Amino acid sequence: MPPDGFECKQCGHCCLELEAFSTCASENDILRWDEEGRFDILEWVDPVDFGDHCEFDIWINPRTGDDVSRCPWLRKARGEDRYTCRIHDLKPDLCRNYPLSRQHAEETGCPGFVEEPNTS
């Protein structure tokens, strides 16, 4: 769950610049996609062994085996300056929980926090 004060602006930044973010799926994600029969999502997953850090690397092009730079499920809204997620209800836990904090948002360029009013 994103922190209080965060409101997604649908700018797509977190999905357009995957190199700046962790792209790991949780075991829960894998089970959810399997139970839903979403093999179209699962084909973009590469089981890896990075120890405690990551067991499933996601958004790996199934044709080339290469990491992709933008999320394959991201779509630009026609005629608008915003993006939507085609797997919103099934998106990975890392996406559901982004950003982890205001600091995390600032470090990764997310504009989803409104400026705190200056009370001086």
Side-chain angles (χ1 to χ4, degrees):
M1 200 72 177
D4 288 340
F6 175 77
E7 182 179 320
C8 180
K9 306 295 185 197
Q10 292 185 298
C11 67
H13 176 74
C14 56
C15 304
L16 288 167
E17 302 291 334
L18 292 179
E19 295 90 10
F21 305 98
S22 169
T23 54
C24 294
S26 68
E27 190 170 337
N28 182 50
D29 293 327
I30 303 302
L31 292 172
R32 185 171 61 248
W33 297 332
D34 189 52
E35 288 172 359
E36 293 289 329
R38 293 301 304 264
F39 303 108
D40 58 328
I41 300 173
L42 288 167
E43 73 179 353
W44 289 82
V45 176
D46 184 23
V48 293
D49 186 8
F50 292 146
D52 292 338
H53 172 68
C54 181
E55 293 181 41
F56 303 97
D57 196 9
I58 55 173
W59 312 154
I60 305 300
N61 186 314
R63 288 186 292 245
T64 66
D66 295 328
D67 289 310
V68 295
S69 60
R70 74 177 264 163
C71 178
W73 309 106
L74 182 69
R75 291 295 177 263
K76 187 162 186 349
R78 187 174 299 200
E80 298 181 48
D81 195 23
R82 67 181 184 88
Y83 292 82
T84 59
C85 175
R86 291 184 32 222
I87 61 168
H88 183 75
D89 293 339
L90 294 171
K91 66 185 174 182
D93 290 340
L94 75 100
C95 299
R96 292 174 191 274
N97 297 324
Y98 178 84
L100 300 173
S101 65
R102 178 182 287 270
Q103 179 180 348
H104 183 225
E106 290 170 358
E107 289 172 352
T108 56
C110 174
F113 281 93
V114 292
E115 293 296 318
E116 293 180 6
N118 188 350
T119 57
S120 52

